[in-house]
Amino acid sequence: MKHTIDKIALSLIFSLTILIIFLTWGVNSCGNNCLFHTGAKVRYFSWNNKVIGAEDQAFILTFDRPMDQETVEKNLIIEPPLSGKFSWAGRKVAYTLLTPAPYGNSYKVILNAAKEKFNQTTEMKPFVGEFTTRDRAFVYIGIDQEIRGKLVLYNWTKDKKIILTPDNLIVTEFKPFSQGNKILFLAVDQSKEIDLLKQKLYTINLETKEIKLILDTQDYQNLKFEIAPNGENIVIQRMNNKNLDDFGLWLINTEGNLMAIDNSKGGDFLITPDSENVILAQGEGLTILPLVTDAKPLDFLPNYGRVITFSKDGNLAAMENFNKDNPELRYTNSLYLVNSQGLEEKLLDVKGSIKDCQFNPESTKIYCLVTEVIEDEKYIEQPYLAEINLETKKILPLLVLPNYQDTQITMAKDGLGLLFDQLILSKTDTKEKVLISNTGETIMSGRLWFVIPPSLTPENSQKPELQELPFTGIRPQWLP
């Protein structure tokens, strides 16, 4: 019995030894046709079958074993191409886009012929992943009689228009949430007596088309509003219907609770990129207030009269100085670039006004709509659109815009180009007094324009591409 067990044990040991030798030989010599070493593979692709937007800056590939980094980087292909840079952490590689992926496209990520770090003879399993970008789309206020005052969504990718709001509501102002799923807007109900003092605040869900009342006008007038970048809070300027001295900012949180912000009487305001504070024009400067009910000023910036806009990453701000304390620059306005450390740099002086500015997604350029006073018999402000290169500080005038008043510009989230409107106004008394300009004139109609700056054109030409859209409207804003 003992001899039988010994024979069985020896046979097993011999068989296992032969098997180990065979497997070792197979792994080292069978190459790409190996039955026992199947090659590395991608275990996880973070964008696989997803719809991404401009806020999505990098995808991650996770492998099942350590990889030869050079062969991965050499063989990774994106169709259509997207420029980017690699960074590694163990078995994971991140590919960070240098510019946002253009909207309205489908992409493939292909990886073949990459090798393992510790086995250069075997190539990995071929990998193909797919993702798409959001449709290119923007929202505007309709101006033609049948859609006058309605929110309209234009899907540029599918060439499709969708009316978002019902017949009874006339929208006066709107802003998309940063997540792109909802729009916040002010509107008056024209089925009742039309009164601009009774603008109510609503949201519309772009997927379900459900409209929800957020704030009525029972005690207060609802004025300018802003949405926090994280989408969690809304700040709205309100005035008491019976006490005009009761005027300031109110906070609406995610639960819908409404709370007054102390010490918030003032003019224009913007919520900071971290969504924690608000910058408010007060007196001869800007006050920074925390988004809490018992707000006490955190700081005061006496040199500036307005924050125009922030860069996408929140590290830069375009700010306006009205030059009230500088005799040499009297009757001019100056545009400053201010970074997150408080360092400032003057970009532009204008003898006129700075209407609006927008950073490009990479924060390498800023586009501004400004006016210059024409020295003539009459006081005339001539608007023009300019591109400022933030690296070279070179100013490139793009377009002169005659007869443009209250124009607003909006930069596409993927950096494709800019939209702006041209208002057609009436100074005569009309029945329609809801859609009015900042100067109190009735907006009779509006033209929508799209411009691609020279640096963004395929030929990198010297002149911008300009086209008028084949429908009318006002206040266009790109969706995130």
Side-chain angles (χ1 to χ4, degrees), residues 12 18 83 230 286 349:
L12 287 173
I18 296 298
S83 58
N230 62 11
L286 298 174
D349 288 325

Side-chain angles (χ1 to χ4, degrees), residues 2 51 84 87 113 250 279 294 344 351 391 398 437:
K2 181 178 178 181
V51 180
S87 56
W250 294 68
I279 301 182
D294 56 345
E344 62 180 28
K351 192 175 182 181
E391 296 173 350
L398 298 179
S437 69

Side-chain angles (χ1 to χ4, degrees), residues 92-119:
K92 296 180 179 181
V93 59
Y95 187 79
T96 303
L97 304 184
L98 299 182
T99 59
Y103 279 17
N105 291 332
S106 297
Y107 295 87
K108 287 186 177 181
V109 176
I110 304 168
L111 183 57
N112 292 320
K115 297 180 180 180
E116 298 176 35
K117 183 176 182 179
F118 303 112
N119 181 13

